[in-house]
Amino acid sequence: MAMIETPAGAHVPGDADAPGLSERDRAMLAFEREWWKLPGAKEAAIKERFGLTSTQYYQQLNKLADTEAALAADPLLVKRIQRRRAGRRRTV
């Protein structure tokens, strides 16, 4: 399994107030918040950090975005993920 790292200096808002999130969950939220600052393609970074395909990553991220713990940890990010997902569903 690939080592999970968060971007240097990344902070998960409300992290201490969000019981129920695993280290991997927190790492995924931190990555999703900061990925655009990293060099290279997002897909390559997903594979390197999480050992997942893009499809697997987005499946897990969407499942995570539906949890109360993720919403408590980072409401702005989770709402953004949910809005993007709802927008894609409307266009399909």
Side-chain angles (χ1 to χ4, degrees):
M1 167 102 43
M3 180 177 215
I4 301 168
E5 298 176 8
T6 56
H11 170 71
V12 177
D15 196 34
D17 300 328
L21 287 181
S22 69
E23 182 177 333
R24 184 180 188 96
D25 294 341
R26 288 190 293 275
M28 288 180 81
L29 291 174
F31 176 79
E32 192 62 24
R33 186 180 324 98
E34 306 274 335
W35 70 266
W36 54 273
K37 295 179 183 178
L38 302 173
K42 184 177 183 182
E43 290 76 18
I46 289 169
K47 184 72 169 172
E48 180 182 317
R49 288 177 188 267
F50 301 105
L52 301 171
T53 65
S54 295
T55 300
Q56 293 168 326
Y57 171 80
Y58 286 113
Q59 287 171 340
Q60 290 186 17
L61 182 65
N62 282 315
K63 191 180 292 187
L64 178 59
D66 289 334
T67 66
E68 290 296 321
L71 185 60
D74 196 337
L76 293 176
L77 176 65
V78 170
K79 292 290 186 182
R80 187 177 76 218
I81 293 167
Q82 291 171 344
R83 278 192 310 273
R84 278 195 324 232
R85 182 176 59 194
R88 283 192 301 272
R89 286 181 180 159
R90 280 192 293 268
T91 61
V92 173

